[in-house]
Amino acid sequence: MGKTKVKFADPLKIEKSEQLWSKTIKVIPGGALTFSKAPFQHVDGVAPKMLSHGKGPKVWDVDGNEYIDYMLGLGPAILGHADDEVNRAISDSLEHGISTSLVHPLEAELAELLCEIIPCAEMVRFGKNGSDVTSGAVRVARAWTKRDKIACCGYHGWQDWYIGSTGRNLGVPKAVQDLTLKFEYNNIESLQRLFDEHDGEIAAVIMEPVNFFEPKDDFLNKVKSMAKENGAVLIFDEVITGFRMSLGGAQEYYNVIPDLACFGKAMANGMPVSIVVGKSEIMQMFDEVFFSFTFAGELASLSASVSTINALKKRDGISQIWAMGERLQKGYAQLVEELDVGHITKMIGFPFWPEYLFLDKAGSPSMEIQSLFQQEIVRRGILTRAGMMISSSHTNIEIDKTLAVFKDALIVVKEAVKTDNVLNWLEGEVITPVIRPPVEE
Ligand SMILES: Cc1ncc(COP(=O)(O)O)c(C=O)c1O
């Protein structure tokens, strides 16, 4: 029994974090500029709210506490934070100016590189955030098909056309909300239903090609055929899978080539750049469709993207990410068995993006138990949300340290669950989700 003795971690010193947060919240509504970085995504009162810097797989909060980071700025830092090679590329590019007055040759240089690595890419347009390019792709699909409705599956960003279909739809006109329809992953009938009910009206099928589950029963090819038969443009939203599942995204991994695809997050190791790519005949519509903004060709980000792609190739970064994810998943499964907590937790997802889940007695996801786990791991130096982002700078050392922390935390969780009063063990607030289900009116 010695092995499974409950060990409590000391509370973190987060006074400076709290002080700076009170200052921030006075001048920035909501405090965090991205919901996913907000205190309600961690155990508020226990976890830090403010970070000061990061290097490789580690970050430090403003109080000086060190963490192994599995948030990676919500995905972008695919090589690890403050990568020397990418930083050099950024600082070299600064000599040319940041935003040029006419087109710069680097735009075509990066576009050519992307056309080499992404199977569907014959032409490229740049954006800044994932939402820019999913929205650009949707607008082009509407222009191409002369239809208005969109079928979607997954998360696609903050713009009206998508967020109006979620519970975070404040400010989105009802008329816009009604144009976006949802289908379920691995449920081809749910897409068929949309095409039946909105015959001849659906401009695009946009989807995350994978999320946490493998496509089953040739799902991606079936979606592709169904979109084609119904005259809709197929758009893969590879904002997460891009450069993480493989350099060419899930479309390369599964060899299912969409009409258009969107990449973002991990394209430039943290610099803001995203792309919509695809078949020339559709991409040419961007000549007329308004997708035009000041910072699209900003050079520091484009240089960072070239450098990130080259570094991922040179360092075999994607294999490293998969190997570390597999080590984490295998280790977690072993812990679950060793501690006999299979009724409380499991890890799902692909090695490039594993996610831990905590379940209540009825087998439903439990934010309370997850919060207790997160309390225990953040106090022991692991910063993550349930979906864990791994960079190519994570090594066996970080993964093994993480698993050792997970073991101590799972022992606490197991004991807490036995008492039937998990909240009693929690010293901060229960985590709440960013997107709630839409509310029926
Ligand atoms: C699959 C997917 N698409 C689109 C987006 C939107 O990207 P951004 O937040 O950069 O606008 C995200 C962001 O999390 C995403 O995960």
Side-chain angles (χ1 to χ4, degrees):
M1 271 314 280
K3 269 203 314 199
T4 56
K5 196 159 167 275
V6 178
K7 284 182 269 172
F8 293 99
D10 292 333
L12 290 165
K13 291 196 185 358
I14 49 170
E15 288 77 13
K16 206 164 167 199
S17 211
E18 295 292 339
Q19 268 166 24
L20 286 169
W21 177 256
S22 357
K23 205 167 108 150
T24 305
I25 196 88
K26 286 196 188 112
V27 283
I28 297 185
L33 303 176
T34 316
F35 278 131
S36 303
K37 293 184 188 176
F40 66 79
Q41 286 290 285
H42 299 272
V43 180
D44 196 358
V46 165
K49 293 187 172 70
M50 319 275 291
L51 294 183
S52 69
H53 64 289
K55 186 73 189 166
K58 293 190 180 155
V59 290
W60 286 264
D61 68 21
V62 290
D63 289 272
N65 302 302
E66 178 182 307
Y67 307 88
I68 301 174
D69 183 26
Y70 293 95
M71 289 183 67
L72 303 180
L74 306 176
I78 190 163
L79 299 166
H81 294 282
D83 182 78
D84 290 339
E85 192 175 335
V86 178
N87 279 1
R88 232 175 359 258
I90 295 167
S91 76
D92 289 352
S93 89
L94 297 179
E95 299 300 318
H96 296 239
I98 298 171
S99 291
T100 56
S101 305
L102 295 175
V103 175
H104 191 279
L106 186 57
E107 295 168 34
E109 190 188 314
L110 175 57
E112 278 169 4
L113 188 56
L114 292 163
C115 288
E116 278 166 29
I117 62 178
I118 302 171
C120 80
E122 295 170 5
M123 298 187 91
V124 181
R125 282 292 294 251
F126 295 103
K128 284 281 151 214
N129 288 285
S131 307
D132 294 350
V133 288
T134 54
S135 304
V138 159
R139 186 173 292 169
V140 152
R142 284 173 163 160
W144 175 254
T145 56
K146 301 190 175 53
R147 298 172 177 181
D148 289 343
K149 293 190 177 161
I150 303 297
C152 76
C153 175
Y155 174 75
H156 306 294
W158 72 271
Q159 299 275 8
D160 282 7
W161 74 267
Y162 170 72
I163 213 66
S165 70
T166 74
R168 284 263 189 206
N169 56 10
L170 267 185
V172 181
K174 177 84 173 54
V176 175
Q177 294 177 27
D178 290 345
L179 295 176
T180 300
L181 316 161
K182 300 217 173 185
F183 66 100
E184 287 170 14
Y185 198 75
N186 276 337
N187 181 349
I188 196 68
E189 290 77 24
S190 68
L191 181 60
Q192 182 66 63
R193 251 192 316 276
L194 293 185
F195 278 120
D196 291 346
E197 285 165 16
H198 304 270
D199 190 20
E201 295 180 310
I202 296 179
V205 175
I206 179 167
M207 64 184 298
E208 289 182 68
V210 293
N211 198 298
F212 292 108
F213 304 102
E214 286 269 7
K216 283 201 193 110
D217 194 19
D218 207 19
F219 182 62
L220 295 179
N221 271 315
K222 285 186 181 161
V223 170
K224 180 175 167 167
S225 311
M226 200 173 278
K228 191 162 189 227
E229 274 161 29
N230 288 280
V233 175
L234 177 63
I235 307 166
F236 277 179
D237 176 346
E238 303 240 35
V239 169
I240 294 218
T241 47
F243 290 15
R244 192 167 280 285
M245 185 164 205
S246 98
L247 212 47
Q251 60 189 277
E252 178 182 48
Y253 189 85
Y254 289 111
N255 192 26
V256 179
I257 316 303
D259 299 310
L260 300 176
C262 304
F263 287 60
K265 288 198 188 277
M267 279 191 58
N269 209 48
M271 291 296 279
V273 60
S274 57
I275 45 167
V276 51
V277 299
K279 284 191 182 143
S280 298
E281 51 178 2
I282 306 178
M283 290 294 294
Q284 293 283 5
M285 293 292 300
F286 278 113
D287 201 24
E288 289 294 325
V289 165
F290 205 99
F291 181 72
S292 164
F293 33 85
T294 307
F295 292 119
E298 169 267 307
L299 289 183
S301 296
L302 301 189
S303 306
S305 188
V306 173
S307 169
T308 300
I309 293 167
N310 290 337
L312 279 170
K313 284 183 179 167
K314 216 166 41 191
R315 299 177 204 173
D316 203 5
I318 291 159
S319 306
Q320 173 70 5
I321 290 169
W322 277 78
M324 293 304 99
E326 271 161 22
R327 192 175 181 93
L328 187 70
Q329 287 183 315
K330 269 199 197 127
Y332 200 84
Q334 275 163 8
L335 285 179
V336 167
E337 201 180 317
E338 181 189 334
L339 302 172
D340 191 20
V341 288
H343 55 299
I344 305 174
T345 185
K346 62 181 170 186
M347 196 169 250
I348 59 166
F350 291 84
F352 72 87
W353 193 25
E355 168 162 306
Y356 52 71
L357 283 184
F358 285 87
L359 308 167
D360 62 17
K361 274 189 192 156
S364 305
S366 166
M367 286 312 261
E368 292 179 3
I369 306 177
Q370 183 189 317
S371 300
L372 177 60
F373 179 72
Q374 282 193 211
Q375 164 180 297
E376 294 304 311
I377 64 173
V378 78
R379 285 181 166 173
R380 293 168 167 89
I382 306 295
L383 187 72
T384 189
R385 298 193 305 155
M388 299 179 71
M389 293 283 184
I390 296 168
S391 78
S392 68
S393 67
H394 285 76
T395 65
N396 290 351
I397 295 171
E398 284 78 32
I399 302 298
D400 293 351
K401 162 119 201 272
T402 303
L403 287 167
V405 165
F406 280 6
K407 179 171 181 178
D408 288 342
L410 286 175
I411 291 170
V412 174
V413 164
K414 184 179 177 182
E415 283 307 304
V417 168
K418 270 194 217 156
T419 66
D420 238 350
N421 192 352
V422 169
L423 285 183
N424 226 11
W425 297 57
L426 197 65
E427 293 173 41
E429 303 295 319
V430 175
I431 297 164
T432 53
V434 172
I435 305 225
R436 307 151 195 142
V439 181
E440 295 288 339
E441 279 167 22

